[in-house]
Amino acid sequence: MNRRQQREWVFKLIFQDSINDIKENNDLFQNHDLSENETYIIKSIDSYKKHYDEIVAKLEDSLSARYSNISKVAKSIIFLSINEIYFLDIPVSVSINEAVDLAKKYTSNDEYKIINKVLGDIVRKDKK
C-alpha cells in the first residue's frame, strides 16, 4: 500500500474515532483487514491519539466563527494534516495538498477550500 493509500486509511480511522472512540490498534487491523506492516498507519494513529488534545487546541485557536460548523469529515482531514505537520514531520506543502485532495474526494461542494484556508492559517500563525 503506498503512502497516499495509507494516508486515506488514517483519515478514515480518525473519522471513525470521531464517532466511536478508537481503543486499540489491534482492533483496527482486525476490523478493517489492514496489515500490521502498514507502519505509517500505526505511527500516524499512535501520534494522533497521543497528541489529540494539542491537535484540537491548534484547530480551535485558528478556527474562526465563520468556519466553526465544518463537518466531521472536514475536521478529520484537518486533524490528519495537523498531526502530520506538527508531530510526524511531513512537509507542510505535502500534507496540505494531500488534505485538499482528500477533501475533494470525501467532502461536499467546496469544503476543500475551507480546509486549505484553515490549514494555511494554522501554519502561518506558527510560522511553519
Side-chain angles (χ1 to χ4, degrees):
M1 186 179 308
N2 67 32
R3 176 62 61 93
R4 180 170 274 200
Q5 292 167 322
Q6 290 184 51
R7 182 177 280 113
E8 190 167 341
W9 266 107
V10 172
F11 150 68
K12 290 174 183 178
L13 294 171
I14 289 172
F15 178 72
Q16 176 186 332
D17 185 60
S18 74
I19 297 167
N20 187 15
D21 189 27
I22 295 173
K23 298 284 189 230
E24 295 291 327
N25 285 351
N26 292 337
D27 294 338
L28 295 176
F29 295 109
Q30 291 172 359
N31 293 337
H32 296 292
D33 195 30
L34 294 170
S35 166
E36 291 188 25
N37 296 327
E38 308 299 348
T39 56
Y40 176 78
I41 295 173
I42 295 169
K43 183 177 177 183
S44 189
I45 291 298
D46 285 344
S47 176
Y48 161 76
K49 289 191 300 187
K50 179 180 178 183
H51 300 287
Y52 178 80
D53 292 334
E54 295 167 82
I55 294 168
V56 170
K58 284 207 176 290
L59 177 58
E60 288 176 352
D61 286 348
S62 296
L63 201 59
S64 67
R66 179 176 174 192
Y67 301 125
S68 62
N69 292 326
I70 62 174
S71 69
K72 284 186 178 192
V73 172
K75 281 185 182 177
S76 297
I77 293 169
I78 292 170
F79 285 0
L80 165 68
S81 190
I82 292 172
N83 185 54
E84 285 184 339
I85 293 166
Y86 288 92
F87 305 110
L88 296 178
D89 295 323
I90 303 295
V92 172
S93 60
V94 170
S95 186
I96 292 176
N97 287 337
E98 292 290 328
V100 167
D101 287 345
L102 281 170
K104 287 178 179 178
K105 184 174 181 178
Y106 288 101
T107 64
S108 59
N109 300 328
D110 292 336
E111 206 163 14
Y112 73 91
K113 293 176 184 176
I114 295 169
I115 290 170
N116 189 43
K117 177 168 181 6
V118 168
L119 289 170
D121 289 348
I122 291 170
V123 296
R124 276 190 295 279
K125 181 178 178 184
D126 291 340
K127 296 177 175 52
K128 270 295 221 175

